[in-house]
Amino acid sequence: MTSSAETPEPRRRLSRQDRRRQLVDVAWSIIRAEGTEALTLPRLAEQAGVAKPVVYDHFATRPALLAALYQEFDTHQTALMDAAFQASEPTLPSRAMVIAASYVDCVLEQGREIPGVISALAGSPELAKVKRDYEAVFMEKCRTLLAPFAPAGTVAASGLLAMLGAAEALSFAAASGDITPDEAKDELFQTILAIVARNAR
Protein backbone atom coordinates (compact mmCIF):
# COMPACT_ATOMS: atom_id res chain seq x y z
CA MET A 1 0.00 0.00 0.00
CA THR A 2 1.36 3.39 -0.98
CA SER A 3 1.49 5.92 1.83
CA SER A 4 0.17 9.42 1.33
CA ALA A 5 3.73 10.70 1.79
CA GLU A 6 4.76 8.77 -1.32
CA THR A 7 1.87 9.98 -3.45
CA PRO A 8 2.88 13.01 -5.53
CA GLU A 9 0.66 16.05 -5.24
CA PRO A 10 -1.26 16.64 -8.45
CA ARG A 11 -0.22 19.85 -10.21
CA ARG A 12 -2.95 22.43 -9.94
CA ARG A 13 -3.99 23.86 -13.29
CA LEU A 14 -4.07 27.64 -13.06
CA SER A 15 -6.90 29.65 -14.50
CA ARG A 16 -5.97 31.90 -17.41
CA GLN A 17 -6.08 34.94 -15.14
CA ASP A 18 -3.91 33.29 -12.48
CA ARG A 19 -1.43 32.07 -15.10
CA ARG A 20 -1.08 35.59 -16.51
CA ARG A 21 -0.55 36.90 -12.98
CA GLN A 22 2.17 34.30 -12.43
CA LEU A 23 3.90 35.19 -15.69
CA VAL A 24 3.84 38.91 -14.91
CA ASP A 25 5.26 38.29 -11.43
CA VAL A 26 8.04 36.12 -12.84
CA ALA A 27 8.78 38.76 -15.50
CA TRP A 28 9.25 41.40 -12.81
CA SER A 29 11.53 39.04 -10.87
CA ILE A 30 13.70 38.43 -13.95
CA ILE A 31 14.10 42.18 -14.48
CA ARG A 32 14.88 42.67 -10.80
CA ALA A 33 17.56 40.00 -10.79
CA GLU A 34 19.05 40.23 -14.28
CA GLY A 35 17.89 43.47 -15.93
CA THR A 36 15.36 44.19 -18.67
CA GLU A 37 17.58 42.87 -21.47
CA ALA A 38 17.40 39.39 -19.92
CA LEU A 39 13.61 39.33 -20.22
CA THR A 40 12.68 37.26 -23.26
CA LEU A 41 9.67 35.05 -23.79
CA PRO A 42 11.72 31.82 -23.76
CA ARG A 43 13.47 32.95 -20.57
CA LEU A 44 10.11 33.73 -19.00
CA ALA A 45 8.80 30.27 -19.89
CA GLU A 46 11.90 28.67 -18.37
CA GLN A 47 11.69 30.64 -15.13
CA ALA A 48 7.94 30.15 -14.81
CA GLY A 49 8.26 26.40 -15.41
CA VAL A 50 5.85 26.35 -18.33
CA ALA A 51 6.05 25.44 -22.01
CA LYS A 52 6.86 28.25 -24.42
CA PRO A 53 3.42 28.12 -26.11
CA VAL A 54 1.83 28.98 -22.75
CA VAL A 55 3.80 32.23 -22.61
CA TYR A 56 3.12 33.03 -26.28
CA ASP A 57 -0.57 32.46 -25.67
CA HIS A 58 -0.55 35.34 -23.17
CA PHE A 59 2.08 37.59 -24.76
CA ALA A 60 2.54 37.17 -28.49
CA THR A 61 5.73 39.25 -28.53
CA ARG A 62 8.29 40.71 -26.13
CA PRO A 63 6.93 44.24 -26.77
CA ALA A 64 3.47 43.00 -25.76
CA LEU A 65 4.94 41.70 -22.49
CA LEU A 66 6.76 44.98 -21.80
CA ALA A 67 3.58 46.91 -22.57
CA ALA A 68 1.69 44.73 -20.09
CA LEU A 69 4.28 45.44 -17.39
CA TYR A 70 4.06 49.17 -18.01
CA GLN A 71 0.25 49.00 -17.97
CA GLU A 72 0.38 47.33 -14.56
CA PHE A 73 2.68 50.07 -13.27
CA ASP A 74 0.40 52.76 -14.69
CA THR A 75 -2.76 51.17 -13.24
CA HIS A 76 -1.17 50.99 -9.79
CA GLN A 77 0.03 54.59 -10.05
CA THR A 78 -3.46 55.75 -11.02
CA ALA A 79 -5.01 53.88 -8.08
CA LEU A 80 -2.53 55.45 -5.65
CA MET A 81 -3.21 58.93 -6.99
CA ASP A 82 -6.99 58.49 -6.97
CA ALA A 83 -6.97 57.28 -3.36
CA ALA A 84 -4.71 60.14 -2.27
CA PHE A 85 -6.84 62.65 -4.16
CA GLN A 86 -10.00 61.48 -2.39
CA ALA A 87 -8.30 62.02 0.98
CA SER A 88 -6.76 65.40 0.09
CA GLU A 89 -7.85 68.94 0.85
CA PRO A 90 -9.04 71.09 -2.07
CA THR A 91 -5.94 73.30 -2.03
CA LEU A 92 -3.05 73.68 -4.44
CA PRO A 93 -0.38 72.49 -1.97
CA SER A 94 -2.44 69.42 -1.12
CA ARG A 95 -3.10 68.52 -4.76
CA ALA A 96 0.54 69.14 -5.73
CA MET A 97 1.69 66.80 -2.95
CA VAL A 98 -0.79 64.15 -4.11
CA ILE A 99 0.83 64.14 -7.54
CA ALA A 100 4.40 64.27 -6.23
CA ALA A 101 4.02 61.65 -3.52
CA SER A 102 1.96 59.17 -5.55
CA TYR A 103 4.36 59.27 -8.51
CA VAL A 104 7.49 58.83 -6.41
CA ASP A 105 5.92 56.19 -4.16
CA CYS A 106 4.74 54.10 -7.10
CA VAL A 107 8.20 54.07 -8.70
CA LEU A 108 9.78 53.17 -5.37
CA GLU A 109 7.29 50.34 -4.79
CA GLN A 110 8.23 48.87 -8.16
CA GLY A 111 11.90 49.31 -7.36
CA ARG A 112 14.64 49.55 -9.94
CA GLU A 113 12.69 47.46 -12.45
CA ILE A 114 10.43 50.19 -13.84
CA PRO A 115 13.22 52.48 -15.17
CA GLY A 116 14.46 49.53 -17.24
CA VAL A 117 10.98 48.84 -18.58
CA ILE A 118 10.49 52.51 -19.46
CA SER A 119 13.85 52.59 -21.22
CA ALA A 120 12.84 49.52 -23.22
CA LEU A 121 9.53 51.17 -24.10
CA ALA A 122 11.43 54.08 -25.61
CA GLY A 123 13.46 51.67 -27.74
CA SER A 124 10.86 51.10 -30.44
CA PRO A 125 8.14 53.24 -32.07
CA GLU A 126 5.46 50.71 -31.10
CA LEU A 127 6.39 50.73 -27.42
CA ALA A 128 7.06 54.47 -27.36
CA LYS A 129 3.47 55.03 -28.47
CA VAL A 130 2.21 52.85 -25.62
CA LYS A 131 4.18 54.98 -23.16
CA ARG A 132 2.96 58.26 -24.71
CA ASP A 133 -0.66 57.13 -24.56
CA TYR A 134 -0.45 56.36 -20.84
CA GLU A 135 1.46 59.57 -20.19
CA ALA A 136 -1.25 61.57 -21.93
CA VAL A 137 -3.86 60.12 -19.55
CA PHE A 138 -1.64 60.90 -16.55
CA MET A 139 -1.04 64.49 -17.67
CA GLU A 140 -4.73 65.07 -18.27
CA LYS A 141 -5.47 63.82 -14.75
CA CYS A 142 -2.86 66.26 -13.41
CA ARG A 143 -4.35 69.07 -15.47
CA THR A 144 -7.75 68.35 -13.93
CA LEU A 145 -6.28 68.39 -10.42
CA LEU A 146 -4.33 71.62 -10.91
CA ALA A 147 -6.50 73.68 -13.29
CA PRO A 148 -8.80 75.12 -10.58
CA PHE A 149 -5.80 76.93 -9.10
CA ALA A 150 -4.68 78.59 -12.35
CA PRO A 151 -6.59 81.80 -13.19
CA ALA A 152 -6.62 80.81 -16.85
CA GLY A 153 -8.50 77.66 -15.81
CA THR A 154 -5.93 75.27 -17.24
CA VAL A 155 -2.27 74.29 -17.18
CA ALA A 156 -0.30 74.51 -20.43
CA ALA A 157 0.80 71.28 -22.11
CA SER A 158 4.42 72.47 -21.94
CA GLY A 159 4.16 72.77 -18.17
CA LEU A 160 2.64 69.31 -17.85
CA LEU A 161 5.45 67.85 -19.95
CA ALA A 162 8.02 69.60 -17.77
CA MET A 163 6.31 68.19 -14.68
CA LEU A 164 6.31 64.67 -16.14
CA GLY A 165 10.00 64.89 -17.02
CA ALA A 166 10.84 66.05 -13.51
CA ALA A 167 8.68 63.31 -12.00
CA GLU A 168 10.48 60.57 -13.94
CA ALA A 169 13.97 61.93 -13.31
CA LEU A 170 13.46 62.53 -9.59
CA SER A 171 11.70 59.21 -9.01
CA PHE A 172 14.39 57.24 -10.83
CA ALA A 173 17.08 59.09 -8.84
CA ALA A 174 15.32 58.12 -5.62
CA ALA A 175 14.98 54.50 -6.79
CA SER A 176 18.71 54.32 -7.50
CA GLY A 177 19.60 55.93 -4.15
CA ASP A 178 21.07 59.12 -5.61
CA ILE A 179 18.62 61.20 -3.58
CA THR A 180 16.18 60.34 -0.80
CA PRO A 181 12.47 59.77 -1.45
CA ASP A 182 11.64 62.87 0.59
CA GLU A 183 14.03 64.96 -1.50
CA ALA A 184 12.41 63.66 -4.68
CA LYS A 185 8.91 64.41 -3.42
CA ASP A 186 9.79 67.88 -2.16
CA GLU A 187 11.58 68.90 -5.37
CA LEU A 188 8.69 67.61 -7.50
CA PHE A 189 6.20 69.37 -5.21
CA GLN A 190 8.06 72.68 -5.64
CA THR A 191 8.27 72.14 -9.39
CA ILE A 192 4.51 71.63 -9.63
CA LEU A 193 3.81 74.77 -7.62
CA ALA A 194 6.16 76.76 -9.89
CA ILE A 195 4.46 75.41 -13.02
CA VAL A 196 1.02 76.43 -11.77
CA ALA A 197 2.38 79.84 -10.74
CA ARG A 198 3.70 80.43 -14.24
CA ASN A 199 0.26 79.64 -15.61
CA ALA A 200 -1.19 82.09 -13.08
CA ARG A 201 0.71 84.87 -14.79
Side-chain angles (χ1 to χ4, degrees), residues 135-158:
E135 287 175 346
V137 173
F138 173 78
M139 288 191 293
E140 191 56 39
K141 183 182 288 289
C142 292
R143 190 200 304 272
T144 300
L145 287 171
L146 300 173
F149 307 102
T154 190
V155 178
S158 57

Side-chain angles (χ1 to χ4, degrees), residues 56-191:
Y56 284 95
D57 183 45
H58 288 269
F59 307 105
T61 63
R62 182 174 185 268
L65 172 59
L66 290 168
L69 296 178
Y70 186 77
Q71 179 183 31
E72 179 168 273
F73 165 76
D74 181 82
T75 299
H76 182 54
Q77 183 182 68
T78 299
L80 278 179
M81 183 179 290
D82 288 347
F85 170 68
Q86 293 298 326
S88 69
E89 297 293 328
T91 65
L92 175 57
S94 181
R95 298 289 166 79
M97 185 51 71
V98 163
I99 296 170
S102 60
Y103 198 103
V104 174
D105 284 344
C106 192
V107 171
L108 292 177
E109 280 187 32
Q110 199 62 63
R112 297 187 180 187
E113 304 93 82
I114 194 61
V117 170
I118 288 177
S119 294
L121 286 169
S124 75
E126 176 189 0
L127 291 175
K129 183 180 184 304
V130 169
K131 183 172 181 284
R132 286 197 305 272
D133 288 345
Y134 281 114
E135 287 175 346
V137 173
F138 173 78
M139 288 191 293
E140 191 56 39
K141 183 182 288 289
C142 292
R143 190 200 304 272
T144 300
L145 287 171
L146 300 173
F149 307 102
T154 190
V155 178
S158 57
L160 293 170
L161 286 167
M163 182 195 69
L164 179 63
E168 271 198 12
L170 291 165
S171 297
F172 293 177
S176 65
D178 295 331
I179 60 177
T180 69
D182 286 344
E183 287 173 330
K185 292 175 188 178
D186 183 64
E187 189 62 35
L188 183 53
F189 171 75
Q190 297 297 338
T191 298

